[in-house]
Amino acid sequence: MEYKPISGREFPRFSAIKTFFRLPHVEVDADYDVGIVGIPYDGGVSYRPGARFAPTKVREASSLGRGFHWSRGYNVLEQKKVADIGDCPTVPIDQAQTYEKIENFFSTLLQYNKKFVSIGGDHSTTLPVLRALKKKYQVPLGFIHFDAHLDTYPAAWGCEYHHGSFVRHAIEEKLIDPKKTIQIGIRGPLTGKDDLDFVNKHGIQVITVDDIRIQGLEKFILQLPQFSQGPTYLSFDIDCLDPAYAPGTGTPVVGGLTTYETQRILRALKIDQLVGADIVEVSPPYDTSEITALAAVDTLFELLCLL
Ligand code: MN
Ligand code: MN
């Protein structure tokens, strides 16, 4: 089986059935290296819904995606066998069942020793993925978290599991190691001080937009920590970007990063053992001219290179 995108000369990029990067759609146990998978669930959203439509939209927008990385000097789609492995099953009206299905799906994928990038879904979908990874690797993971929000919020409406609380649960369940966790792109305002107290108590490194901008990007990327110990996971909430660069998202916060800044940060990361990654909170109904979907496609491309 050849893991190549459909040729744009044979089938122009606006044609053919949509898969991520026009790659073959295969079963989870096929002989690919990296699977791209959708998690179409947004039942954990507290404000604007729509992230359930992201996998389909990102597939469509990725028709224009190409594999050769300008600054890395190689074609990631030729170096590795990358495939679209479809969508993880979900239950739109039941979070507990959805979490179970996500954890089972990713446990199966990990049994076959696959790497993956998933396209969410709201950020609550990352928690069951981390549970599956913990079962596989048996140690708390290093964690690189791009977001406007800390996602360490308390329960909301009496519900523990929502898109603003997954980091708190991931630490309490010892799925990620707070000492090997960084959060990038964080900015205010916050509902209260609880979430900040939580990250301070656990010694999580929080990098705000000010921390990047005031000294300048070039200086900042030299200070990024190296992830050289143990398995590491990367989660990219599209709202780390300014709403000008990602309007289609559930809880936009102004004063964010640009797509260029996140590209440069992703290229500068040194991660010895990246075991998986996700892009979450893309909400196509709130998108304009596919700006957000295209940002997700480019981030997906950078993540494939990191893997
Ligand atoms: Mn988030
Ligand atoms: Mn967020």
Side-chain angles (χ1 to χ4, degrees):
M1 161 116 214
E2 275 210 289
Y3 289 88
K4 275 187 173 171
I6 297 170
S7 162
R9 294 293 171 268
E10 211 174 326
F11 294 96
R13 289 183 178 272
F14 49 82
S15 69
I17 290 169
K18 303 302 179 194
T19 58
F20 292 117
F21 286 101
R22 298 162 54 97
L23 289 161
H25 172 216
V26 300
E27 295 299 315
V28 67
D29 62 346
D31 74 335
Y32 61 92
D33 304 317
V34 182
I36 310 175
V37 53
I39 311 181
Y41 176 78
D42 59 14
V45 161
S46 57
Y47 192 54
R48 305 200 304 203
R52 66 179 64 179
F53 300 114
T56 298
K57 191 69 202 178
V58 173
R59 279 189 179 92
E60 191 189 331
S62 74
S63 290
L64 208 53
R66 291 162 168 96
F68 186 83
H69 197 294
W70 185 271
S71 61
R72 292 184 190 269
Y74 61 78
N75 187 324
V76 69
L77 302 179
E78 282 170 10
Q79 281 218 334
K80 290 171 208 159
K81 292 183 214 167
V82 187
D84 186 330
I85 54 169
D87 283 351
C88 170
T90 55
V91 182
I93 54 170
D94 193 315
Q95 190 180 48
Q97 281 192 60
T98 296
Y99 270 25
E100 210 179 293
K101 284 179 187 293
I102 296 173
E103 190 177 333
N104 286 341
F105 182 93
F106 283 86
S107 295
T108 306
L109 188 150
L110 291 167
Q111 258 172 28
Y112 293 114
N113 294 313
K114 303 301 188 187
K115 292 195 170 182
F116 64 88
V117 184
S118 70
I119 307 294
D122 72 59
H123 222 158
S124 74
T125 58
T126 298
L127 188 67
V129 175
L130 292 172
R131 286 175 179 159
L133 284 161
K134 173 72 186 287
K135 267 199 299 192
K136 163 89 176 176
Y137 292 100
Q138 300 286 317
V139 289
L141 303 172
F143 189 56
I144 303 166
H145 175 201
F146 287 81
D147 209 316
H149 310 91
L150 298 163
D151 289 349
T152 54
Y153 291 17
W157 300 283
C159 301
E160 273 294 338
Y161 300 103
H162 57 85
H163 69 161
S165 67
F166 86 96
V167 170
R168 180 169 58 81
H169 289 293
I171 286 169
E172 286 170 351
E173 294 179 27
K174 299 193 173 12
L175 309 178
I176 60 173
D177 181 346
K179 301 281 182 286
K180 295 182 196 163
T181 295
I182 58 168
Q183 298 185 295
I184 303 172
I186 305 295
R187 54 198 185 269
L190 304 174
T191 316
K193 211 166 147 282
D194 290 357
D195 4 325
L196 196 55
D197 288 344
F198 184 90
V199 295
N200 289 337
K201 188 177 100 188
H202 287 88
I204 295 172
Q205 189 183 351
V206 176
I207 296 164
T208 64
V209 177
D210 280 346
D211 293 335
I212 298 166
R213 286 264 170 83
I214 290 171
Q215 63 179 322
L217 185 63
E218 301 311 315
K219 271 194 188 161
F220 166 73
I221 56 179
L222 296 175
Q223 292 163 13
L224 277 167
Q226 295 224 355
F227 292 83
S228 52
Q229 281 177 351
T232 301
Y233 187 78
L234 192 155
S235 186
F236 192 97
D237 183 331
I238 204 85
D239 73 24
C240 70
L241 294 170
D242 190 273
Y245 296 87
T249 191
T251 44
V253 184
V254 300
L257 299 171
T258 67
T259 37
Y260 177 72
E261 284 168 329
T262 57
Q263 283 176 328
R264 290 292 306 279
I265 296 167
L266 288 167
R267 286 171 204 166
L269 285 171
K270 301 265 183 299
I271 313 165
D272 283 358
Q273 195 191 351
L274 185 64
V275 292
D278 64 45
I279 300 165
V280 295
E281 298 286 343
V282 174
S283 177
Y286 290 93
D287 204 1
T288 306
S289 302
E290 292 193 339
I291 297 171
T292 317
L294 288 168
V297 169
D298 191 73
T299 303
L300 175 55
F301 170 61
E302 294 290 348
L303 293 176
L304 289 174
C305 293
L306 271 174
L307 282 163

